[in-house]
Amino acid sequence: MPARKPSHTTAGAKGPASYFPSIEKTYGRPVAEWQALIRAQRGKRHMELVGWLKATHGLGHGHANALVAHTLAEDAKGAR
């Protein structure tokens, strides 16, 4: 049986971004919308944001952690 090629949406995605297609499919919102929600929670730390996503929006730990990690990393890059 030949090996399956990865889909074009996940090929090349590494780290937290590799979760994004699954997050969008599972929870029905684009990643940009999740990031806007995270950014609106000013002053919360990483694990507080993860807990908030899990409790308020029903995300699993891995998905919540990936979204928060990626969003905070983007924001840190922009702040330099």
Side-chain angles (χ1 to χ4, degrees):
M1 184 187 244
R4 250 177 46 182
K5 285 180 155 182
S7 74
H8 71 309
T9 57
T10 57
K14 294 182 177 161
S18 67
Y19 286 86
F20 290 176
S22 177
I23 291 168
E24 289 178 339
K25 182 179 178 184
T26 303
Y27 305 104
R29 289 184 178 189
V31 168
E33 193 173 318
W34 290 113
Q35 289 183 303
L37 289 169
I38 291 165
R39 289 181 174 118
Q41 298 295 309
R42 298 189 191 282
K44 289 189 178 177
R45 299 177 71 149
H46 182 104
M47 289 310 294
E48 291 173 317
L49 290 164
V50 170
W52 173 77
L53 285 170
K54 291 168 61 176
T56 305
H57 297 283
L59 271 71
H61 182 82
H63 286 162
N65 191 57
L67 284 167
V68 170
H70 189 76
T71 303
L72 296 180
E74 272 189 358
D75 291 354
K77 270 187 186 177
R80 289 182 191 169

Coordinates of all heavy atoms in Angstrom, one line a residue:
M1 N 0.9 -1.2 0.0 CA 0.0 0.0 0.0 C 0.9 1.2 0.0 O 1.7 1.4 0.9 CB -0.9 0.0 1.3 CG -1.9 1.1 1.3 SD -2.7 1.0 2.9 CE -4.3 0.7 2.5
P2 N 0.7 2.2 -1.0 CA 1.6 3.4 -1.0 C 1.3 4.3 0.1 O 0.1 4.4 0.6 CB 1.2 4.0 -2.4 CG -0.1 3.4 -2.7 CD -0.2 2.1 -2.1
A3 N 2.3 5.0 0.5 CA 2.1 6.0 1.6 C 1.3 7.2 1.1 O 1.3 7.6 0.0 CB 3.5 6.5 2.1
R4 N 0.4 7.6 2.0 CA -0.4 8.8 1.7 C 0.3 10.1 1.8 O 1.1 10.3 2.7 CB -1.6 8.9 2.7 CG -2.9 8.5 2.1 CD -4.0 8.5 3.0 NE -4.1 9.7 3.9 CZ -5.0 9.8 4.8 NH1 -5.9 8.9 5.0 NH2 -5.0 10.9 5.6
K5 N 0.1 11.0 0.9 CA 0.7 12.3 0.9 C 0.0 13.1 1.9 O -1.2 13.1 2.0 CB 0.6 13.0 -0.4 CG 1.6 12.4 -1.5 CD 1.3 13.2 -2.7 CE 2.5 13.3 -3.6 NZ 2.3 14.1 -4.8
P6 N 0.7 14.0 2.7 CA 0.0 14.9 3.6 C -0.8 15.9 2.8 O -0.5 16.2 1.6 CB 1.1 15.6 4.3 CG 2.3 15.4 3.5 CD 2.1 14.2 2.7
S7 N -1.9 16.4 3.3 CA -2.7 17.4 2.6 C -1.9 18.7 2.5 O -1.0 18.9 3.2 CB -4.0 17.6 3.4 OG -3.8 18.4 4.5
H8 N -2.3 19.5 1.5 CA -1.6 20.7 1.3 C -1.7 21.7 2.5 O -0.9 22.6 2.6 CB -2.1 21.4 0.0 CG -3.5 22.0 0.1 ND1 -4.5 21.3 0.6 CD2 -3.9 23.2 -0.2 CE1 -5.6 22.1 0.6 NE2 -5.3 23.2 0.1
T9 N -2.7 21.6 3.3 CA -2.9 22.5 4.4 C -1.9 22.2 5.6 O -1.6 23.1 6.3 CB -4.3 22.5 5.0 OG1 -4.6 21.1 5.4 CG2 -5.3 23.0 4.0
T10 N -1.4 20.9 5.7 CA -0.6 20.6 6.8 C 0.9 20.3 6.3 O 1.8 20.3 7.1 CB -1.1 19.3 7.5 OG1 -1.2 18.3 6.6 CG2 -2.4 19.6 8.2
A11 N 1.1 20.2 5.0 CA 2.5 19.9 4.5 C 3.3 21.2 4.9 O 3.0 22.3 4.5 CB 2.5 19.7 3.0
G12 N 4.4 20.9 5.6 CA 5.3 22.0 5.9 C 4.9 22.8 7.2 O 5.7 23.5 7.7
A13 N 3.7 22.6 7.8 CA 3.4 23.2 9.0 C 4.1 22.5 10.1 O 4.1 21.2 10.2 CB 1.9 23.1 9.3
K14 N 4.7 23.2 11.0 CA 5.5 22.7 12.1 C 5.0 23.3 13.4 O 4.5 24.4 13.4 CB 7.0 22.9 11.9 CG 7.5 22.1 10.7 CD 9.0 22.3 10.6 CE 9.3 21.4 9.4 NZ 10.4 21.5 8.7
G15 N 5.4 22.7 14.5 CA 5.0 23.2 15.8 C 3.5 23.4 16.0 O 2.7 22.6 15.5
P16 N 3.1 24.4 16.7 CA 1.7 24.6 17.0 C 0.9 24.7 15.8 O -0.3 24.3 15.8 CB 1.7 26.0 17.8 CG 3.0 26.1 18.4 CD 4.0 25.4 17.4
A17 N 1.4 25.3 14.7 CA 0.6 25.5 13.5 C 0.2 24.2 12.9 O -0.8 24.1 12.1 CB 1.4 26.3 12.5
S18 N 0.9 23.1 13.2 CA 0.5 21.8 12.6 C -0.9 21.4 13.1 O -1.5 20.5 12.5 CB 1.5 20.7 12.9 OG 1.6 20.5 14.3
Y19 N -1.4 21.9 14.2 CA -2.7 21.6 14.8 C -3.8 22.4 14.1 O -5.0 22.1 14.3 CB -2.7 22.0 16.3 CG -2.0 21.0 17.2 CD1 -0.6 21.2 17.4 CD2 -2.7 20.0 17.8 CE1 0.0 20.3 18.3 CE2 -2.0 19.1 18.7 CZ -0.7 19.3 18.9 OH 0.0 18.5 19.8
F20 N -3.5 23.5 13.4 CA -4.5 24.4 12.9 C -5.6 23.7 12.0 O -6.8 24.0 12.2 CB -3.9 25.6 12.2 CG -3.2 26.5 13.2 CD1 -2.5 27.6 12.7 CD2 -3.2 26.3 14.5 CE1 -1.8 28.5 13.5 CE2 -2.5 27.2 15.4 CZ -1.8 28.2 14.9
P21 N -5.3 22.9 11.1 CA -6.4 22.3 10.3 C -7.3 21.5 11.1 O -8.6 21.6 11.0 CB -5.6 21.4 9.3 CG -4.3 22.0 9.2 CD -4.0 22.5 10.5
S22 N -6.8 20.8 12.1 CA -7.7 20.0 13.0 C -8.5 20.9 13.9 O -9.7 20.6 14.1 CB -6.8 19.1 13.9 OG -7.6 18.4 14.8
I23 N -8.0 22.0 14.4 CA -8.7 22.9 15.2 C -9.8 23.5 14.4 O -11.0 23.6 14.9 CB -7.7 24.0 15.7 CG1 -6.7 23.5 16.7 CG2 -8.5 25.2 16.3 CD1 -5.6 24.4 17.1
E24 N -9.6 24.0 13.2 CA -10.6 24.6 12.4 C -11.7 23.6 12.1 O -12.9 23.9 12.1 CB -10.0 25.1 11.1 CG -9.2 26.4 11.4 CD -8.5 27.0 10.1 OE1 -8.4 26.2 9.1 OE2 -8.2 28.2 10.2
K25 N -11.3 22.3 11.8 CA -12.3 21.3 11.5 C -13.1 20.9 12.7 O -14.4 20.8 12.6 CB -11.6 20.1 10.9 CG -12.6 19.0 10.5 CD -11.8 17.8 9.9 CE -12.8 16.7 9.6 NZ -12.1 15.5 9.1
T26 N -12.5 20.8 13.8 CA -13.1 20.3 15.0 C -14.1 21.3 15.6 O -15.2 21.0 16.1 CB -12.1 19.9 16.1 OG1 -11.3 18.9 15.5 CG2 -12.7 19.4 17.4
Y27 N -13.6 22.6 15.7 CA -14.4 23.6 16.4 C -15.1 24.6 15.5 O -15.8 25.5 16.0 CB -13.4 24.4 17.4 CG -12.8 23.4 18.3 CD1 -11.4 23.1 18.1 CD2 -13.5 22.8 19.3 CE1 -10.8 22.2 19.0 CE2 -12.9 21.9 20.2 CZ -11.5 21.6 20.0 OH -10.9 20.7 20.8
G28 N -14.9 24.5 14.2 CA -15.7 25.3 13.2 C -15.4 26.8 13.1 O -16.2 27.5 12.6
R29 N -14.2 27.2 13.6 CA -13.8 28.6 13.5 C -12.4 28.7 12.9 O -11.6 27.8 13.2 CB -13.7 29.2 14.9 CG -15.1 29.5 15.6 CD -14.8 30.2 16.9 NE -16.1 30.5 17.6 CZ -16.2 31.2 18.6 NH1 -15.2 31.8 19.2 NH2 -17.4 31.4 19.1
P30 N -12.2 29.7 12.1 CA -10.8 29.9 11.6 C -9.8 30.2 12.7 O -10.2 30.9 13.7 CB -11.0 31.0 10.6 CG -12.2 31.7 10.9 CD -13.1 30.7 11.6
V31 N -8.6 29.9 12.5 CA -7.6 30.2 13.5 C -7.5 31.7 13.8 O -7.3 32.1 15.0 CB -6.2 29.7 13.0 CG1 -5.1 30.2 13.9 CG2 -6.2 28.2 13.1
A32 N -7.7 32.5 12.8 CA -7.6 34.0 13.0 C -8.7 34.4 14.0 O -8.4 35.3 14.9 CB -7.8 34.7 11.7
E33 N -9.8 33.8 14.0 CA -10.9 34.1 15.0 C -10.5 33.7 16.4 O -10.7 34.5 17.4 CB -12.2 33.4 14.6 CG -13.4 33.9 15.3 CD -14.7 33.4 14.8 OE1 -14.8 33.3 13.6 OE2 -15.6 33.0 15.6
W34 N -9.9 32.5 16.5 CA -9.4 32.1 17.9 C -8.3 33.0 18.4 O -8.3 33.4 19.5 CB -8.8 30.7 17.8 CG -9.9 29.6 17.6 CD1 -10.1 28.8 16.5 CD2 -10.9 29.3 18.5 NE1 -11.2 28.0 16.7 CE2 -11.7 28.3 17.9 CE3 -11.3 29.7 19.8 CZ2 -12.8 27.7 18.6 CZ3 -12.4 29.1 20.4 CH2 -13.1 28.1 19.8
Q35 N -7.4 33.5 17.5 CA -6.4 34.4 17.9 C -6.9 35.7 18.3 O -6.4 36.3 19.3 CB -5.4 34.6 16.7 CG -4.5 33.3 16.5 CD -3.5 33.6 15.4 OE1 -3.8 33.9 14.3 NE2 -2.3 33.3 15.7
A36 N -8.0 36.2 17.7 CA -8.6 37.5 18.1 C -9.2 37.3 19.5 O -9.1 38.2 20.3 CB -9.7 37.9 17.1
L37 N -9.8 36.2 19.8 CA -10.4 35.9 21.1 C -9.3 35.9 22.1 O -9.4 36.4 23.2 CB -11.2 34.6 21.1 CG -12.5 34.6 20.3 CD1 -13.0 33.2 20.2 CD2 -13.5 35.5 21.0
I38 N -8.2 35.2 21.8 CA -7.0 35.2 22.8 C -6.5 36.6 23.0 O -6.2 36.9 24.2 CB -6.0 34.2 22.2 CG1 -6.5 32.8 22.2 CG2 -4.6 34.4 23.0 CD1 -5.6 31.8 21.4
R39 N -6.3 37.3 22.0 CA -5.7 38.7 22.1 C -6.6 39.6 22.9 O -6.2 40.5 23.5 CB -5.4 39.2 20.8 CG -4.2 38.6 20.1 CD -3.8 39.1 18.8 NE -2.6 38.5 18.3 CZ -2.5 37.8 17.2 NH1 -3.6 37.6 16.4 NH2 -1.4 37.2 16.9
A40 N -7.9 39.3 22.9 CA -8.9 40.2 23.6 C -8.8 39.9 25.2 O -9.3 40.7 25.9 CB -10.3 39.9 23.2
Q41 N -8.1 38.8 25.6 CA -8.0 38.5 27.0 C -6.7 39.1 27.5 O -5.8 38.3 28.0 CB -8.0 36.9 27.1 CG -9.2 36.3 26.7 CD -10.4 36.7 27.6 OE1 -10.3 36.6 28.8 NE2 -11.5 37.1 26.9
R42 N -6.5 40.3 27.4 CA -5.3 41.0 27.8 C -4.9 40.7 29.2 O -5.7 40.7 30.1 CB -5.4 42.5 27.6 CG -5.7 42.9 26.2 CD -5.6 44.4 26.0 NE -6.1 44.8 24.7 CZ -5.4 44.7 23.6 NH1 -4.2 44.2 23.5 NH2 -6.0 45.2 22.4
G43 N -3.6 40.6 29.4 CA -3.1 40.5 30.8 C -3.1 39.0 31.3 O -2.5 38.8 32.4
K44 N -3.7 38.1 30.6 CA -3.6 36.7 31.1 C -2.4 36.0 30.6 O -1.9 36.3 29.5 CB -4.9 35.9 30.6 CG -6.2 36.4 31.2 CD -7.3 35.5 30.9 CE -8.6 35.9 31.6 NZ -9.7 35.1 31.2
R45 N -1.9 35.1 31.4 CA -0.7 34.4 31.1 C -1.0 33.1 30.3 O -2.2 32.8 30.1 CB 0.0 34.0 32.4 CG 0.5 35.2 33.2 CD 1.1 34.9 34.4 NE 2.4 34.3 34.1 CZ 3.4 34.4 34.9 NH1 3.3 35.0 36.0 NH2 4.6 33.8 34.5
H46 N 0.0 32.5 29.8 CA -0.2 31.3 28.9 C -1.2 30.3 29.4 O -2.2 30.0 28.7 CB 1.2 30.7 28.6 CG 1.1 29.5 27.6 ND1 1.5 29.6 26.3 CD2 0.7 28.3 27.8 CE1 1.3 28.5 25.7 NE2 0.8 27.6 26.6
M47 N -0.9 29.8 30.6 CA -1.8 28.7 31.1 C -3.1 29.2 31.5 O -4.1 28.5 31.5 CB -1.1 28.0 32.2 CG 0.1 27.1 31.8 SD -0.3 26.0 30.4 CE -1.5 24.9 31.1
E48 N -3.2 30.5 31.9 CA -4.6 31.1 32.1 C -5.4 31.1 30.8 O -6.6 30.8 30.8 CB -4.4 32.5 32.7 CG -3.8 32.6 34.1 CD -3.6 34.0 34.5 OE1 -3.0 34.8 33.7 OE2 -3.9 34.3 35.7
L49 N -4.7 31.4 29.7 CA -5.4 31.5 28.4 C -5.8 30.1 28.0 O -6.9 29.8 27.5 CB -4.5 32.1 27.4 CG -4.3 33.6 27.5 CD1 -3.1 34.1 26.7 CD2 -5.6 34.4 27.2
V50 N -4.9 29.1 28.2 CA -5.3 27.7 27.9 C -6.5 27.3 28.7 O -7.4 26.7 28.1 CB -4.0 26.8 28.1 CG1 -4.4 25.3 28.0 CG2 -2.9 27.1 27.2
G51 N -6.5 27.5 30.0 CA -7.6 27.1 30.8 C -8.9 27.8 30.4 O -10.0 27.2 30.4
W52 N -8.8 29.1 30.0 CA -9.9 29.9 29.6 C -10.5 29.3 28.3 O -11.7 29.1 28.2 CB -9.5 31.3 29.4 CG -10.6 32.2 28.8 CD1 -11.7 32.7 29.4 CD2 -10.7 32.6 27.4 NE1 -12.5 33.4 28.5 CE2 -11.9 33.3 27.3 CE3 -9.9 32.4 26.3 CZ2 -12.2 33.9 26.0 CZ3 -10.3 32.9 25.1 CH2 -11.4 33.7 25.0
L53 N -9.7 28.9 27.3 CA -10.2 28.3 26.1 C -10.9 27.0 26.4 O -11.9 26.6 25.8 CB -9.0 28.1 25.1 CG -8.5 29.4 24.4 CD1 -7.3 29.1 23.6 CD2 -9.6 29.9 23.5
K54 N -10.3 26.2 27.3 CA -10.8 24.9 27.6 C -12.2 25.1 28.3 O -13.2 24.4 28.0 CB -9.9 24.1 28.5 CG -8.6 23.7 27.8 CD -7.5 23.2 28.7 CE -7.9 22.0 29.5 NZ -6.8 21.4 30.3
A55 N -12.3 25.9 29.3 CA -13.5 26.1 30.1 C -14.6 26.8 29.4 O -15.7 26.4 29.5 CB -13.1 26.8 31.4
T56 N -14.2 27.8 28.7 CA -15.2 28.7 28.0 C -15.6 28.2 26.6 O -16.8 28.3 26.3 CB -14.7 30.1 27.9 OG1 -14.3 30.6 29.2 CG2 -15.7 31.1 27.3
H57 N -14.7 27.6 25.9 CA -15.0 27.2 24.5 C -14.9 25.7 24.3 O -15.1 25.3 23.1 CB -14.0 28.0 23.6 CG -14.3 29.4 23.6 ND1 -15.3 30.1 23.0 CD2 -13.6 30.4 24.2 CE1 -15.3 31.4 23.2 NE2 -14.2 31.6 24.0
G58 N -14.6 24.9 25.3 CA -14.5 23.5 25.2 C -13.4 22.9 24.3 O -13.5 21.8 23.9
L59 N -12.3 23.7 24.2 CA -11.2 23.1 23.4 C -10.4 22.1 24.3 O -10.4 22.2 25.5 CB -10.2 24.2 23.1 CG -10.5 24.9 21.7 CD1 -11.7 25.8 21.8 CD2 -9.3 25.8 21.3
G60 N -9.8 21.1 23.6 CA -8.9 20.2 24.3 C -7.6 20.9 24.6 O -7.3 22.0 24.1
H61 N -6.9 20.3 25.5 CA -5.7 20.9 26.0 C -4.7 21.2 24.9 O -4.1 22.3 24.8 CB -5.1 20.1 27.2 CG -3.8 20.7 27.7 ND1 -3.9 21.7 28.7 CD2 -2.5 20.6 27.4 CE1 -2.7 22.1 29.0 NE2 -1.8 21.4 28.2
G62 N -4.4 20.2 24.1 CA -3.4 20.4 23.0 C -3.8 21.4 22.0 O -2.9 22.2 21.6
H63 N -5.1 21.5 21.7 CA -5.5 22.5 20.7 C -5.4 23.9 21.4 O -4.9 24.9 20.7 CB -6.9 22.2 20.2 CG -7.0 21.1 19.3 ND1 -8.2 20.5 19.0 CD2 -6.0 20.5 18.5 CE1 -7.9 19.5 18.1 NE2 -6.6 19.5 17.8
A64 N -5.9 24.0 22.6 CA -5.8 25.3 23.3 C -4.3 25.8 23.4 O -4.0 26.9 23.2 CB -6.5 25.2 24.6
N65 N -3.5 24.9 23.8 CA -2.1 25.2 24.0 C -1.4 25.6 22.7 O -0.6 26.6 22.7 CB -1.3 24.0 24.6 CG 0.0 24.3 25.1 OD1 0.2 25.2 25.9 ND2 1.0 23.6 24.6
A66 N -1.7 24.9 21.6 CA -1.2 25.3 20.3 C -1.6 26.7 19.9 O -0.8 27.5 19.4 CB -1.6 24.3 19.3
L67 N -2.9 27.0 20.1 CA -3.4 28.3 19.7 C -2.7 29.4 20.5 O -2.3 30.4 20.0 CB -4.9 28.4 19.9 CG -5.7 27.7 18.8 CD1 -7.1 27.6 19.2 CD2 -5.6 28.5 17.5
V68 N -2.6 29.2 21.8 CA -2.0 30.2 22.7 C -0.5 30.4 22.4 O 0.0 31.5 22.3 CB -2.3 29.9 24.2 CG1 -1.4 30.8 25.1 CG2 -3.7 29.9 24.5
A69 N 0.2 29.3 22.3 CA 1.6 29.4 22.0 C 1.9 30.1 20.7 O 2.8 31.0 20.7 CB 2.2 27.9 22.0
H70 N 1.2 29.8 19.7 CA 1.4 30.4 18.4 C 1.1 31.9 18.4 O 1.8 32.8 17.9 CB 0.6 29.7 17.3 CG 0.9 30.2 15.9 ND1 2.1 29.8 15.3 CD2 0.3 31.0 15.1 CE1 2.1 30.3 14.1 NE2 1.0 31.1 13.9
T71 N -0.1 32.2 19.1 CA -0.5 33.6 19.2 C 0.5 34.5 20.0 O 0.9 35.6 19.5 CB -1.9 33.7 19.8 OG1 -2.8 32.9 19.0 CG2 -2.4 35.1 19.8
L72 N 0.9 34.0 21.1 CA 1.8 34.7 21.9 C 3.2 34.9 21.2 O 3.8 35.9 21.4 CB 2.0 34.1 23.3 CG 0.7 34.0 24.2 CD1 1.0 33.4 25.5 CD2 0.2 35.4 24.4
A73 N 3.6 33.8 20.5 CA 4.9 33.9 19.8 C 4.8 35.0 18.7 O 5.7 35.8 18.5 CB 5.3 32.6 19.2
E74 N 3.7 35.0 18.0 CA 3.5 36.0 16.9 C 3.5 37.4 17.5 O 4.1 38.3 17.0 CB 2.1 35.9 16.3 CG 2.1 34.9 15.1 CD 0.8 35.0 14.3 OE1 -0.2 35.7 14.8 OE2 0.7 34.3 13.3
D75 N 2.8 37.6 18.7 CA 2.7 38.9 19.3 C 4.1 39.3 19.8 O 4.5 40.5 19.7 CB 1.8 38.9 20.5 CG 0.3 38.7 20.0 OD1 0.1 38.8 18.8 OD2 -0.6 38.6 20.9
A76 N 4.9 38.4 20.3 CA 6.3 38.7 20.8 C 7.2 39.1 19.6 O 8.0 40.0 19.8 CB 6.9 37.5 21.5
K77 N 7.0 38.5 18.5 CA 7.8 38.9 17.3 C 7.4 40.3 16.9 O 8.3 41.1 16.5 CB 7.5 37.9 16.1 CG 8.3 36.8 16.0 CD 8.0 36.0 14.7 CE 8.8 34.7 14.6 NZ 8.4 34.0 13.4
G78 N 6.1 40.6 16.9 CA 5.7 41.9 16.5 C 6.1 43.0 17.5 O 6.2 44.2 17.1
A79 N 6.4 42.7 18.7 CA 6.7 43.7 19.7 C 8.2 44.1 19.7 O 8.6 45.0 20.3 CB 6.4 43.1 21.1
R80 N 8.9 43.3 19.0 CA 10.4 43.6 18.9 C 10.7 44.9 18.1 O 10.2 45.3 17.2 CB 11.1 42.5 18.3 CG 11.2 41.3 19.3 CD 12.0 40.2 18.7 NE 11.7 39.0 19.5 CZ 12.1 37.8 19.2 NH1 12.7 37.6 18.1 NH2 11.9 36.8 20.0

